[in-house]
Amino acid sequence: MAWSGTVGSEHVAHVLGFPRIGAQRELKFAMESFWQGESDEAALRAAGKELRARHWQAQAAAGMDYVAVGDFAWYDHVLGTLALLGALPARFNLDASRLDLAGYYTMARGNKDHFAMEMTKWFDTNYHYLVPEWTPELSFDGGVDWLFDEIGEAQAQLSSTSSSAQAKVVLLGPLSLLFLGKIKSGLSHKLDLLPKVVAGYEKLLARLRDKGVTLVQIDEPILALELDGEWLDAFRPTYGALSDVAPSLLLTTYFDTVGEHADLLRSLPVAGVHLDGVRGVAQLQEFADKWPRDKVLSIGIVDGRNIWRCDLDAALATLKPLHDKLGKRLWVASSCSLLHVPVDLAGENKLDEEIRSWLAFATQKLDEIFVLKQALSGNADVVVGQFSAARAALAARRSSPRIHNALVQKRLKAIADTDADRASAFPARIATQQQRWNLPAFPTTTIGSFPQTPQIRQTRAAYKRGEMGHLDYLNKMRDEIRLVVGKQEELGLDVLVHGEPERNDMVEYFGEQLWGYAFTANGWVQSYGSRCVKPPFIYGDVYRPEAMTVGWSQFAQSLTQKPMKGMLTGPVTMLQWSFVRDDQPRATTALQIALALRDEVCDLEKAGIGMIQIDEPAFREGLPLKAGEWKDYLGWAVRVFRISAAGVRDETQIHTHMCYSEFNDILPWIAAMDADVITIETSRSDMELLDGFGRYRYPNDIGPGVYDIHSPRIPNVDDMVRLMEKARGVIPDQRLWVNPDCGLKTRNWPETYEALARMVQAARRLRETTATVKAA
Ligand code: GLN
Ligand code: ZN
């Protein structure tokens, strides 16, 4: 299939997708109000419609030649694709053609009768998608008409505003969809479903063509992974079949290079291919040199994964030689969907002018793409101003005294190998620790946060706005801590936490107390469903001027005889959930953070806190997409974690927490982190993770989560005992802890209390079948 659309006299500019959540998180609030029964489906639909219109308008107004339609989702675009095709997980018994949003959310969130769909990270981002559930009887023949309604809306909007932009439909491609799902039953290989999937896409694409759609962006991000031959072999026949019936297809790859698939990509019967020109800059020229004359090549040169202003000179220098080869067949784009960056810098009044001038959010990125398109299209004279502004901002950033800190540099140089090691090995440490606390077998604990009630949020907000004095704030937060500690004692938990009421977000809270970090007022990015995060960004050397958590932990410990866990966010997560510097290696930034945390860990110990949890929920998502690069990442990631933890004595117990279940493949590295206790997520995947423990013996203590905190469903005692019995099959009793999957901040008190009460009961029941005291 060749490119047959009108290319026009200029290069085409487009983005692979726009953030759907809204600059003010409108979609989040509309969803949540619907879930709470405060508004109906019509109101939620109206909110979504307005956002889509606004985002198309932004793209058209910025001079994009296409606006993206189909990047919107009511919770997640993978679930959206299943709804569109009609391939909903069978266990929900929903009719896809008559699906309403209530049914859709049942799959996404679960209810009292159903577990929610499993959720997992979207490649190496902090976005989470819902995992398709593959069973043999699934049909892909068609489901909801939502995409078609959206296309109608976009076409109407573009024609009523006489915009020259056209609608481009964005679809997750068939092979990536299939790959990202999990077999639930009855299939020996995911590709067994391929014929049905292809037939479903054929039907869908034909329908899109009939509807007047001329271009479909079909995302195949799995091409950036190291794929097995059977998956690669499936591309040609699949796209051969689709191209017969489809509108023009632009097949997109992103998040990494796809150079090893160059031959395949050249030969696919599609109208064009998109390459990530930020992460995969090295691959571009070779692609352009050999690119077929009848296809377009879209280059994602403006970074969809970071918030730094584009170095327009460098971008143009990269594009120029490609342009020489391809002419107007070169399209200019964002590297990936802009889903992963905040919406608009315009609302940022909190940032000082200097730092602000270094940044670009989704809306600004549209302008950058347009400026590059102009420069390539022979209109350089009209964008001189934009180029010189970008140049000046970049020069100012490079030379700003706020970037470098001599103290940090000195500290980095002084790090010794032994700084990464605890004094003794785990067996000796755990014996000392057990002597200190005499914990029962199957000790119970939680992951850190307790429900963040409206009252807590209001208090924090009032303090932040300056409406509440420091001492009033302190008292109110201490009241919350008192309440949480009291409830935990009442529940009979063994290791307590202070509940984190003072924290809005586990990264922001620390970043705000560290030099080198900056914050946006409104830089929200969707993490999953209605959950958004506001990643800080690291612009300079990281340094801790004073203790960050000691006061809170010390107060909490003073309220109880039980051990109180101090609670920190680990260096890898601090890095991973921030937008990071692009002027030094990630590993260096992580090491700076680790040194700051090490000081905090030591200060907590000095203040009498005997257990310290260093959360690393983002450890796994930092893994490079290509397994060949894992070793390098894991090497420095493990080391920085150890450096943050290893400053304490043997009797101080270091915990860590990771909320996902897929780390069988990196178990030795997790073990190398050498935390005394690790708590992990396992309940949603039914302890699937434990498979790996049969093969590789994880040596230290471990708490496999028994309560899925992402779901409003309260597990019963039997469920939790059953999960723990599964764990006991592969892990010795004396190494096991009992805890939820993750923090409880998104849950309410009644369900939290009930779930934890049952969890404590489950632990007691387990103790009936083993020695009552935890062995060292
Ligand atoms: N301690 C954090 C909490 O309980 C951990 C959160 C996380 O793992 N994402 O909220
Ligand atoms: Zn977690």
Side-chain angles (χ1 to χ4, degrees):
M1 183 206 283
W3 170 247
S4 58
T6 41
V7 173
S9 59
E10 298 187 333
H11 294 269
V12 167
H14 70 128
V15 292
L16 271 49
F18 200 80
R20 55 180 80 111
I21 203 77
Q24 307 295 328
R25 288 180 293 161
E26 290 88 336
L27 185 58
K28 167 195 176 71
F29 298 117
M31 276 191 252
E32 288 175 351
S33 131
F34 176 71
W35 297 342
Q36 256 113 58
E38 287 157 10
S39 60
D40 60 8
E41 171 152 351
L44 174 53
R45 286 194 174 275
K49 184 171 177 181
E50 195 195 318
L51 285 169
R52 291 191 295 268
R54 197 193 297 166
H55 299 154
W56 295 328
Q57 162 62 20
Q59 291 166 62
M64 297 300 103
D65 296 283
Y66 287 102
V67 301
V69 182
D71 55 349
F72 182 82
W74 295 108
Y75 194 98
D76 164 48
H77 57 267
V78 178
L79 178 57
T81 311
L82 296 177
L84 177 66
L85 292 162
L88 306 177
R91 65 193 172 91
F92 293 98
N93 264 319
L94 290 162
D95 176 353
S97 61
R98 275 184 285 161
L99 184 69
D100 60 8
L101 288 178
Y104 177 96
Y105 289 126
T106 301
M107 296 181 284
R109 308 176 64 229
N111 64 15
K112 61 180 193 344
D113 303 318
H114 293 285
F115 289 102
M117 289 171 74
E118 192 180 335
M119 194 161 58
T120 197
K121 309 256 175 199
W122 176 247
F123 298 87
D124 61 347
T125 74
N126 184 32
Y127 177 81
H128 303 66
Y129 71 94
L130 292 162
V131 180
E133 299 179 10
W134 301 141
T135 48
E137 76 283 5
L138 278 187
S139 139
F140 296 80
D141 273 353
V144 296
D145 274 333
W146 305 344
L147 176 64
F148 293 89
D149 300 340
E150 291 168 19
I151 295 166
E153 287 166 25
Q155 287 170 339
Q157 179 179 335
L158 293 170
S159 72
S160 78
T161 53
S162 334
S163 168
S164 60
Q166 296 178 43
K168 168 192 70 175
V169 168
V170 179
L171 275 185
L172 178 56
L175 288 158
S176 292
L177 177 74
L178 203 48
F179 185 93
L180 294 172
K182 263 192 188 169
I183 293 177
K184 287 291 148 174
S185 65
L187 292 163
S188 55
H189 198 291
K190 290 185 218 176
L191 284 167
D192 294 350
L193 279 177
L194 187 61
K196 277 196 192 180
V197 175
V198 172
Y201 272 83
E202 279 180 296
K203 198 168 160 194
L204 173 62
L205 289 163
R207 227 184 126 194
L208 289 169
R209 197 178 58 180
D210 293 344
K211 178 98 184 177
V213 172
T214 55
L215 179 65
V216 174
Q217 167 189 320
I218 196 146
D219 291 348
E220 291 287 9
I222 59 165
L223 283 166
L225 308 174
E226 279 161 358
L227 281 181
D228 286 345
E230 50 196 340
W231 285 96
L232 287 171
D233 291 345
F235 272 84
R236 247 181 232 122
T238 296
Y239 280 88
L242 300 186
S243 66
D244 288 341
V245 293
S248 291
L249 294 176
L250 176 72
L251 182 137
T252 59
T253 67
Y254 42 84
F255 297 153
D256 210 335
T257 54
V258 290
E260 65 275 35
H261 311 315
D263 288 337
L264 170 66
L265 287 167
R266 271 193 293 273
S267 71
L268 286 179
V270 292
V273 166
H274 170 91
L275 304 174
D276 188 326
V278 174
R279 296 218 170 158
V281 72
Q283 64 184 337
L284 303 180
Q285 191 62 48
E286 193 176 338
F287 267 99
D289 288 344
K290 299 186 191 154
W291 200 239
R293 302 191 58 83
D294 60 346
K295 293 188 198 309
V296 299
L297 193 61
S298 165
I299 301 295
I301 196 72
V302 169
D303 195 352
R305 297 289 301 272
N306 215 333
I307 42 76
W308 301 112
R309 196 167 178 162
C310 182
D311 180 345
L312 293 176
D313 290 318
L316 189 60
T318 303
L319 293 174
K320 257 283 162 40
L322 310 176
H323 167 263
D324 294 343
K325 286 279 173 199
L326 299 162
K328 301 291 186 286
R329 290 183 295 125
L330 170 66
W331 290 14
V332 188
S334 56
S335 62
C336 57
S337 167
L338 299 177
L339 180 67
H340 312 289
V341 293
V343 180
D344 194 355
L345 197 53
E348 287 306 325
N349 35 30
K350 214 174 117 187
L351 290 170
D352 66 72
E353 262 316 304
E354 183 183 14
I355 290 189
R356 210 186 123 102
S357 72
W358 300 343
L359 308 177
F361 293 176
T363 307
Q364 287 66 45
K365 288 175 190 286
L366 296 174
D367 296 333
E368 293 178 332
I369 293 167
F370 181 70
V371 167
L372 289 166
K373 163 197 164 125
Q374 291 290 351
L376 282 177
S377 303
N379 305 325
D381 48 326
V382 302
V383 288
V384 187
Q386 283 96 322
F387 267 87
S388 61
R391 208 171 289 135
L394 188 70
R397 186 178 150 213
R398 286 204 177 117
S399 61
S400 170
R402 296 163 79 173
I403 304 278
H404 306 287
N405 179 331
L407 277 173
V408 176
Q409 296 301 329
K410 206 169 137 195
R411 192 85 195 274
L412 285 179
K413 282 201 195 89
I415 296 176
D417 282 349
T418 49
D419 287 347
D421 300 331
R422 299 284 299 268
S424 309
F426 174 76
R429 296 200 307 265
I430 197 73
T432 319
Q433 293 162 12
Q434 185 52 20
Q435 221 164 34
R436 179 171 178 189
W437 287 294
N438 201 29
L439 291 173
F442 302 105
T444 52
T445 190
T446 61
I447 308 303
S449 58
F450 266 81
Q452 292 243 330
T453 58
Q455 185 187 321
I456 295 179
R457 289 176 202 283
Q458 279 154 20
T459 305
R460 263 198 334 253
Y463 178 56
K464 223 172 176 174
R465 282 195 302 265
E467 287 158 17
M468 186 185 285
H470 182 62
L471 291 180
D472 277 349
Y473 172 72
L474 207 64
N475 271 328
K476 284 226 151 64
M477 287 296 148
R478 286 186 165 203
D479 286 345
E480 296 295 344
I481 293 173
R482 215 173 268 121
L483 181 126
V484 168
V485 172
K487 297 253 193 208
Q488 290 174 92
E489 294 214 302
E490 205 176 287
L491 283 161
L493 287 155
D494 301 305
V495 170
L496 310 196
V497 296
H498 79 287
E500 306 177 24
E502 77 288 9
R503 302 182 191 179
N504 34 358
D505 172 275
M506 63 187 293
V507 173
E508 185 175 69
Y509 178 76
F510 290 95
E512 277 180 338
Q513 304 185 70
L514 293 166
W515 290 357
Y517 264 89
F519 292 84
T520 63
N522 219 6
W524 296 102
V525 179
Q526 187 181 21
S527 171
Y528 66 88
S530 70
R531 178 133 181 84
C532 298
V533 293
K534 202 164 44 145
F537 57 97
I538 306 172
Y539 63 87
D541 289 346
V542 175
Y543 177 76
R544 185 195 76 138
E546 59 186 24
M548 304 182 283
T549 64
V550 174
W552 300 115
S553 287
Q554 212 169 10
F555 172 71
Q557 181 66 83
S558 76
L559 301 172
T560 179
Q561 299 300 317
K562 299 234 170 118
M564 173 63 56
K565 270 195 288 190
M567 200 57 62
L568 305 173
T569 304
V572 180
T573 301
M574 288 294 294
L575 180 84
Q576 198 61 30
W577 288 354
S578 306
F579 291 113
V580 297
R581 292 171 68 163
D582 53 0
D583 59 348
Q584 73 182 13
R586 294 171 74 80
T588 309
T589 305
L591 191 55
Q592 293 179 357
I593 302 169
L595 289 173
L597 288 169
R598 181 181 175 96
D599 293 348
E600 184 73 13
V601 168
C602 292
D603 282 351
L604 282 167
E605 179 183 64
K606 262 183 242 148
I609 304 301
M611 294 189 183
I612 301 163
Q613 180 172 312
I614 307 173
D615 289 324
E616 283 291 21
F619 192 86
R620 188 179 202 289
E621 79 189 41
L623 276 177
L625 292 175
K626 299 197 199 312
E629 292 156 27
W630 283 16
K631 229 179 132 181
D632 175 60
Y633 163 78
L634 289 165
W636 64 254
V638 167
R639 177 161 176 266
V640 298
F641 178 87
R642 291 174 64 118
I643 286 179
S644 71
V648 290
R649 294 190 300 267
D650 284 351
E651 71 198 53
T652 298
Q653 188 167 74
I654 297 289
H655 291 227
T656 190
H657 163 70
M658 301 183 174
C659 31
Y660 44 81
S661 53
E662 292 173 5
F663 55 98
N664 282 341
D665 42 5
I666 54 167
L667 260 175
W669 296 94
I670 303 283
M673 290 166 74
D674 200 25
D676 297 305
V677 185
I678 186 171
T679 54
I680 51 176
E681 173 177 322
T682 38
S683 68
R684 257 194 195 204
S685 59
D686 208 36
M687 299 268 161
E688 200 175 87
L689 129 109
L690 296 171
D691 295 351
F693 287 81
R695 276 169 269 136
Y696 176 85
R697 270 216 172 285
Y698 180 80
N700 301 4
D701 277 18
I702 182 161
V706 291
Y707 161 31
D708 174 12
I709 63 86
H710 300 99
S711 165
R713 184 180 172 277
I714 302 174
N716 54 47
V717 180
D718 290 340
D719 285 345
M720 292 190 271
V721 170
R722 186 185 59 81
L723 286 171
M724 287 303 296
E725 290 298 352
K726 269 184 111 165
R728 292 175 83 179
V730 278
I731 298 164
D733 285 358
Q734 69 269 25
R735 297 276 73 84
L736 282 168
W737 289 60
V738 179
N739 47 264
D741 270 349
C742 192
L744 300 160
K745 63 175 161 239
T746 56
R747 303 265 55 103
N748 64 37
W749 263 111
E751 61 192 351
T752 295
Y753 196 88
E754 183 56 33
L756 293 181
R758 294 182 193 176
M759 191 183 88
V760 170
Q761 256 182 291
R764 290 193 178 135
R765 211 187 287 165
L766 291 164
R767 281 170 207 155
E768 286 163 12
T769 54
T770 191
T772 46
V773 176
K774 190 177 180 317

